[in-house]
Amino acid sequence: SPSIALLSLFPLVRRTILFILRADWDEPMILEIPIGSDAQLDIWRRFRREVHLHDPAKPLKETWDSDLIQLLKEASNYLDGIDQIIFSPGRFGCLLPWEALAQKAEIEINIATIPNLKIWPLIDRSPKNISSALVIGNPNEGDDLIYAEEEARSIAKLLNTAPLIGPQAKKEIVLKCLPKVRVAHFATHAYFSLKDPLDSQIVLADGDLSLREIMDLKIHPKLLVLSACETGMNSSLGGDEMAGFAQGFILAGAEAVLVSLWSIDDLSTATLMESFYNQWINENANNADALYKAMTEIRHCKDWNHTYHWGAFTLIGNISKYKTS
């Protein structure tokens, strides 16, 4: 499509290269910045210190993002007429919040990321005659997920379904429902394993759902949301092959997955999610635009203007609307 651009980031030893490809170009535009492997590692360390480990009582000035914001601003000069970006961030960039960076660069274009371009043809865009939804909230009834439980109830109401709260969210029920739903939302705990990403788990009421099990599923959701900590993390299986919850659910059949890149705040996340679904369902925004608007709303709240509160979520997969004409 002439309104879609592909951006692909290649972190190299001595520099970082960004390829921009459009349907109306014969060859890609190549942008280069002098961010080599040492600088990449420094950005990651500052990002972790300033965002992942954010302390509201002692907030740090964000310094990790300046070079990347400048790169996106330079890229925006070549995006006239583009309204959607498919972004492949490369290994260094897979753990960075590109939707948040686009906001900071004041680029108002819908973005969906693809950790590995090889999985792009696998994304199922064929319509399914499915209208039901699955919403799970606080399955292990932890006191630290009170707002997640409220989030699940609120979103279930928007989706016109009954949520599975606490002990109702049994693994057997979830596995039975997942192949039959158009939208799935998990407001729960999740744990990512850097040592072996296939051992990563989503917590349910009576057991955990592992990434190994997820990859064996056959599901068809238009959108699957993992409103839990670090669900967007990924790690190498050897070589350049990366694995994480997003890749697992897309390989299982999901069209798009919304995941987080760090340990999120329960209250601000619940507010962001309600805003996202309201935009997606009631305002008929596409999922990327709905995320952008929800992030903007949280960003302008006085107590939540740090990236930690509004920038954690990233959309992986297909850009689409809730309602189809």
Side-chain angles (χ1 to χ4, degrees), residues 87-109:
F87 191 85
S88 178
R91 296 189 67 174
F92 157 65
C94 281
L95 302 179
L96 298 176
W98 292 97
E99 284 90 343
L101 286 164
Q103 280 229 356
K104 294 182 177 192
E106 300 180 342
I107 299 174
E108 295 188 30
I109 300 176

Side-chain angles (χ1 to χ4, degrees), residues 281-296:
I281 295 172
N282 294 329
E283 301 301 325
N284 201 31
N286 65 53
N287 48 10
D289 191 33
L291 178 60
Y292 188 96
K293 290 175 178 177
M295 290 167 66
T296 301

Side-chain angles (χ1 to χ4, degrees), residues 18-283:
L18 179 68
F19 287 84
I20 305 172
L21 182 62
R22 298 174 47 145
D24 53 349
W25 288 353
D26 293 329
E27 57 185 30
M29 173 62 65
I30 302 175
L31 303 181
E32 183 176 316
I33 53 176
I35 298 178
S37 54
D38 290 342
Q40 294 161 19
L41 181 58
D42 180 59
I43 287 174
W44 167 248
R45 286 172 173 167
R46 282 185 283 147
F47 171 60
R48 180 165 178 78
R49 182 172 63 249
E50 296 163 5
V51 178
H52 278 235
L53 304 178
H54 171 66
D55 182 354
K58 299 177 181 179
L60 298 175
K61 180 181 178 181
E62 293 186 65
T63 63
W64 65 276
D65 52 5
S66 57
D67 288 335
L68 300 174
I69 290 172
Q70 188 57 43
L71 176 63
L72 289 181
K73 284 183 174 180
E74 187 175 349
S76 69
N77 295 325
Y78 305 96
L79 298 176
D80 287 345
I82 296 296
D83 57 29
Q84 292 186 11
I85 292 174
I86 306 302
F87 191 85
S88 178
R91 296 189 67 174
F92 157 65
C94 281
L95 302 179
L96 298 176
W98 292 97
E99 284 90 343
L101 286 164
Q103 280 229 356
K104 294 182 177 192
E106 300 180 342
I107 299 174
E108 295 188 30
I109 300 176
N110 296 324
I111 298 177
T113 61
I114 299 293
N116 187 334
L117 288 175
K118 292 179 181 178
I119 71 171
W120 180 245
L122 302 178
I123 296 176
D124 186 358
R125 299 175 184 82
S126 59
K128 298 292 187 299
N129 187 24
I130 299 173
S131 59
S132 57
L134 172 66
V135 180
I136 295 165
N138 194 12
N140 60 348
E141 299 183 289
D143 292 339
D144 55 338
L145 289 182
I146 297 301
Y147 292 111
E149 185 172 322
E150 294 179 6
E151 169 190 326
R153 296 185 189 280
S154 175
I155 289 166
K157 187 175 181 180
L158 286 169
L159 292 169
N160 194 30
T161 191
L164 299 180
I165 303 295
Q168 296 175 317
K170 290 183 169 61
K171 185 174 179 178
E172 180 182 1
I173 296 174
V174 172
L175 290 174
K176 183 179 180 180
C177 291
L178 268 174
K180 305 175 183 178
V181 298
R182 185 166 177 258
V183 179
H185 183 94
F186 291 77
T188 179
H189 281 304
Y191 301 98
F192 182 77
S193 172
L194 280 172
K195 183 178 180 180
D196 185 349
L198 298 180
D199 287 337
S200 302
Q201 298 174 334
I202 297 171
V203 175
L204 296 175
D206 59 345
D208 298 332
L209 179 61
S210 73
L211 182 53
R212 296 177 192 276
E213 293 172 297
I214 290 167
M215 293 176 71
D216 287 334
L217 296 174
K218 292 184 179 180
I219 58 177
H220 315 284
K222 178 182 285 289
L223 177 68
L224 191 145
V225 178
L226 297 178
S227 182
C229 294
E230 299 185 339
T231 52
M233 298 289 283
N234 55 73
S235 183
S236 174
L237 289 176
D240 292 328
E241 186 176 2
M242 306 293 282
F245 287 115
Q247 292 94 322
F249 275 113
I250 284 177
L251 290 173
E255 289 188 29
V257 184
L258 189 61
V259 290
S260 68
L261 294 171
W262 54 82
S263 296
I264 51 180
D265 175 74
D266 192 28
L267 179 55
S268 59
T269 297
T271 308
L272 183 143
M273 283 297 164
E274 186 169 357
S275 175
F276 167 80
Y277 278 99
N278 186 60
Q279 292 289 338
W280 193 46
I281 295 172
N282 294 329
E283 301 301 325

